[in-house]
Amino acid sequence: MALKVGIQLYSVRQSLKKQPFETLEKVAAAGYKYVEAANHDALTDDGVGFGLSAKKMKDALDNLGLSIVGCHVNPLKLERLPAVLDYHQELGNKQIGCDIEFYPYEDMDYLLRRCELFNKVGEMCKERGMRYYYHNHYQEFQKFGDKKVYEIIMENTDPNLVFIEMDTYWITRAGENPLNLIEKYKDRLVLLHQKDFPKEAPQPIVMYDGIIDPDKEITYPMFENTKAPECFTEIGTGILPIQDIIDTAVTAPNLDFIILEQDHSSLNEIDSINTSMKAFQKYSGIEWD
C-alpha cells in the first residue's frame, strides 16, 4: 500500500480569496491532484468557502483534473448539514470534517456533549454514504482527570460514525508521538495532515513546554496569539520524521491520502506548495498516478 499526496486548500487561502480559479490552476500545475477544502463560513456558505455553486466548483475541479477528498466545515450546525451535504454530494466529495475544537478545562459535560454531536454528524453523513472525520490540534492532548481529551473523544464516539484526520505536526507539538497514535487508531484514520517544524524556531517544539499551561483552559484567542508563523516550514525542510510517519501510516487500512496543510510560510503560497511537492516526490511509500 502507498499514499497519494493531496493538499488542504487552507495552504493557499490568501491566493484563493483573490483569484480562486487561477489558484486552483496553480495547485494543479504544482502536481496536486487531490484537494481538501476548508469552509469557515458554513453558516451562510453550503460549499467550500468561496461562495461558488457546486456546479461551478465541480466544473473547475474537473477541468483541472482535481478531485476533492474532504472538506472542513465550521461551524458544525445540525440544521445546516443537509444543505452542506447536498452541496458536497453534488461535488463528488464523500467526507467532511471539523477543523478545530476547544474544550473548557475539565468540563466533561461539554466534552461529552460535543462527542454526542460528532456522533450525530457522523450518522447524518453515513445515511448519505459519506463519512465524518475529526481533525486535531494540540489542545486535545490536555488531561481532563486521568485521561487526555483525545482519548475521551475516541472512547465516546462511534468508530463507525466518527473517523479521524490526524495532524502529525500538532500531535508532535502536544508532546505526543504521532507514530504511536497512528498505530493505536489506524482503523479510524482516513486522512493525514502533514507539515514540518523548522530546525531553528522561536518556540520549543512542545507547546506545553512553557508556552501553554496544560492545566488551564485553552481558548481560540490564546491558540491564535501563541501560534508563531515562524514555527512552520515546508515539507522536508524541518525536523519532523516524515519518512517514518509515512512508513507507519501506510499500514492504516482506510487511509489513502497524505495531505499538505501549510498554515504559514515565509515563502509566497504558490512557491511554498511547490517546495513541499518536490520534497514529497523524494519519499518512499508515495504513489503517483
Side-chain angles (χ1 to χ4, degrees):
M1 178 181 170
L3 302 179
K4 298 175 181 178
V5 172
I7 182 171
Q8 166 53 259
L9 293 177
Y10 183 73
S11 308
V12 289
R13 58 194 179 279
Q14 303 303 330
S15 301
L16 282 168
K17 285 179 184 176
K18 297 173 184 175
Q19 297 180 310
F21 297 113
E22 293 87 344
T23 301
L24 288 174
E25 287 179 9
K26 292 175 182 177
V27 166
Y32 297 94
K33 294 184 177 181
Y34 306 98
V35 301
E36 179 189 24
N39 181 5
H40 299 154
D41 300 309
L43 279 181
T44 56
D45 187 327
D46 298 339
V48 293
F50 313 141
L52 299 175
S53 70
K55 184 181 186 308
K56 284 186 178 179
M57 187 64 184
K58 188 174 189 312
D59 286 347
L61 295 174
D62 289 348
N63 290 339
L64 294 169
L66 297 173
S67 299
I68 185 165
V69 298
C71 182
H72 288 176
V73 174
N74 187 341
L76 280 173
K77 296 287 185 182
L78 293 180
E79 64 271 21
R80 288 286 297 131
L81 274 183
V84 169
L85 296 178
D86 283 347
Y87 182 108
H88 284 280
Q89 284 194 295
E90 186 176 346
L91 202 56
N93 179 26
K94 295 182 178 178
Q95 51 193 6
I96 64 163
C98 76
D99 60 343
I100 194 165
E101 290 277 335
F102 293 91
Y103 303 95
Y105 185 58
E106 293 192 325
D107 188 339
M108 283 296 295
D109 287 342
Y110 178 85
L111 175 53
L112 293 177
R113 287 198 305 272
R114 294 307 284 176
C115 290
E116 183 179 352
L117 173 70
F118 301 152
N119 281 327
K120 287 179 180 176
V121 174
E123 182 63 43
M124 292 177 72
C125 290
K126 188 176 182 180
E127 287 171 357
R128 294 170 176 249
M130 299 174 71
R131 284 191 301 212
Y132 168 70
Y133 56 87
Y134 185 95
H135 171 261
N136 69 274
H137 290 79
Y138 65 83
Q139 59 269 23
E140 287 89 353
F141 299 94
Q142 271 191 308
K143 274 193 171 182
F144 282 16
D146 61 352
K147 287 189 176 179
K148 291 166 185 168
V149 171
Y150 201 75
E151 294 176 89
I152 298 168
I153 293 171
M154 293 294 101
E155 290 172 4
N156 288 277
T157 52
D158 186 336
N160 295 307
L161 299 177
V162 179
F163 296 85
I164 54 174
E165 174 178 56
M166 281 193 184
D167 190 307
T168 63
Y169 172 95
W170 288 118
I171 288 171
T172 303
R173 299 214 68 187
E176 302 287 326
N177 186 326
L179 308 183
N180 293 345
L181 283 174
I182 290 170
E183 182 62 34
K184 182 174 182 179
Y185 297 115
K186 64 182 179 181
D187 290 342
R188 297 175 75 168
L189 182 61
V190 295
L191 291 172
L192 189 72
H193 268 191
Q194 193 61 57
K195 43 196 160 249
D196 215 338
F197 187 84
K199 296 168 186 173
E200 296 181 5
Q203 294 178 339
I205 193 166
V206 178
M207 293 296 295
Y208 299 132
D209 186 9
I211 307 168
I212 293 289
D213 187 342
D215 299 319
K216 293 183 179 178
E217 182 172 348
I218 301 171
T219 64
Y220 180 69
M222 183 186 301
F223 179 89
E224 283 295 308
N225 290 336
T226 55
K227 186 173 75 166
E230 301 83 7
C231 286
F232 297 85
T233 191
E234 283 65 37
I235 299 294
T237 66
I239 62 175
L240 296 190
I242 295 174
Q243 185 63 66
D244 292 341
I245 289 168
I246 294 170
D247 292 343
T248 304
V250 295
T251 67
N254 300 307
L255 179 66
D256 294 318
F257 302 99
I258 183 168
I259 307 285
L260 169 69
E261 185 187 45
Q262 194 68 44
D263 297 47
H264 297 282
S265 176
S266 61
L267 307 176
N268 75 57
E269 290 177 336
I270 304 305
D271 287 344
S272 174
I273 68 169
N274 274 285
T275 298
S276 288
M277 172 53 78
K278 290 174 184 175
F280 272 126
Q281 292 167 351
K282 298 176 183 177
Y283 293 112
S284 61
I286 301 290
E287 173 185 329
W288 304 100
D289 294 336

